[in-house]
Amino acid sequence: MAGFTNKGLVPTRRVALMLIGAGALAAGSITSARAATGDDEVLTEAKVLRDPDTPVAGNPDGNITIVEWSDYNCPYCRKLEPELRQVVQDDGKVRLVMKDWPILGPVSVTAARSALAAKFQGKYHQAHDALIGVSSRLTEPRINELLAAAGVDMDRLKRDLTGHAKDIDAILKRNNEQAEAFGFQGTPSFIVGKYRVPGALSMTEFEQVIADARKAKMN
């Protein structure tokens, strides 16, 4: 995995729709793609939208799903987070699937693994909010400081990082394979209903794409 620059990411909804229109996904039949290292399909609906090991926010029974691939060291992800959460809260019928995609270096991997390890003590969302809510680049000591302040049991976290290492790494591998199969070039990237959104949108643009996704679902 490699880093990226955010040049050329979606500046307006008009451009966004041009980019995502060709990436429409048939509801219930996500286009099949295979991992480069094997025959396993990586873009099935079950694996992208319904992976039981992937954390979910918003309304778990919502009629539109947003899938977000993000990196805790990505400044665009941090800037977008409160706006996306506000859109999800205001709408009330959006299911937000949160896929950790640590592409910005070893510390990003540490942050993602730590957040996913916190899931085993029921603290993923607290860990996520703590790590995504900072304005400076993360370091390993800062990650530990933020998680402890968020109420994560750090002794339990260390045990889970070791005991569930294979499970955590498998989640990150699936997330990466899916992002690459969709052709995403960096974080944040999204699937909104039927649409592929390779970049950040404003609140208004998210609201409109959600509305468009609902209309597309009816067709």
Side-chain angles (χ1 to χ4, degrees), residues 30-161:
I30 289 179
T31 303
S32 188
R34 295 182 184 277
T37 55
D39 292 330
D40 292 337
E41 293 182 353
V42 298
L43 294 190
T44 65
E45 181 180 11
K47 290 180 180 178
V48 175
L49 304 184
R50 305 287 174 183
D51 186 335
D53 295 324
T54 301
V56 173
N59 184 343
D61 299 315
N63 57 19
I64 285 294
T65 296
I66 295 177
V67 187
E68 177 187 17
W69 283 262
S70 64
D71 184 307
Y72 291 112
N73 259 326
C74 167
Y76 304 97
C77 300
R78 292 171 178 171
K79 182 178 180 181
L80 175 74
E81 180 75 6
E83 297 185 355
L84 175 59
R85 289 306 185 94
Q86 190 64 52
V87 169
V88 170
Q89 179 180 321
D90 291 348
D91 183 283
K93 295 181 180 179
V94 173
R95 179 174 173 270
L96 178 62
V97 178
M98 305 164 70
K99 292 187 182 280
D100 291 284
W101 188 28
I103 58 175
L104 298 178
V107 174
S108 290
V109 175
T110 297
R113 295 187 79 255
S114 297
L116 288 169
K119 176 171 69 79
F120 295 99
Q121 57 178 279
K123 295 288 181 68
Y124 173 85
H125 292 288
Q126 292 90 328
H128 173 88
D129 291 349
L131 296 175
I132 204 72
V134 296
S135 58
S136 58
R137 192 165 181 83
L138 293 172
T139 63
E140 292 193 28
R142 182 67 170 142
I143 290 169
N144 293 333
E145 178 185 340
L146 289 166
L147 294 182
V152 174
D153 181 332
M154 299 305 290
D155 290 333
R156 167 76 187 272
L157 187 79
K158 291 177 182 177
R159 294 196 299 272
D160 287 333
L161 278 167

Side-chain angles (χ1 to χ4, degrees), residues 139-197:
T139 63
E140 292 193 28
R142 182 67 170 142
I143 290 169
N144 293 333
E145 178 185 340
L146 289 166
L147 294 182
V152 174
D153 181 332
M154 299 305 290
D155 290 333
R156 167 76 187 272
L157 187 79
K158 291 177 182 177
R159 294 196 299 272
D160 287 333
L161 278 167
T162 301
H164 295 283
K166 290 184 179 179
D167 298 327
I168 293 167
D169 290 341
I171 294 169
L172 294 177
K173 182 174 183 289
R174 291 198 297 274
N175 293 351
N176 180 64
E177 288 177 345
Q178 291 166 10
E180 290 184 346
F182 277 122
F184 293 141
Q185 299 298 309
T187 52
S189 292
F190 303 89
I191 297 297
V192 182
K194 290 184 177 183
Y195 296 112
R196 171 182 173 275
V197 185

Side-chain angles (χ1 to χ4, degrees), residues 11-29:
T12 66
R13 177 176 174 261
R14 179 182 63 80
V15 176
L17 290 179
M18 289 173 59
L19 288 170
I20 67 181
L25 304 175
S29 58

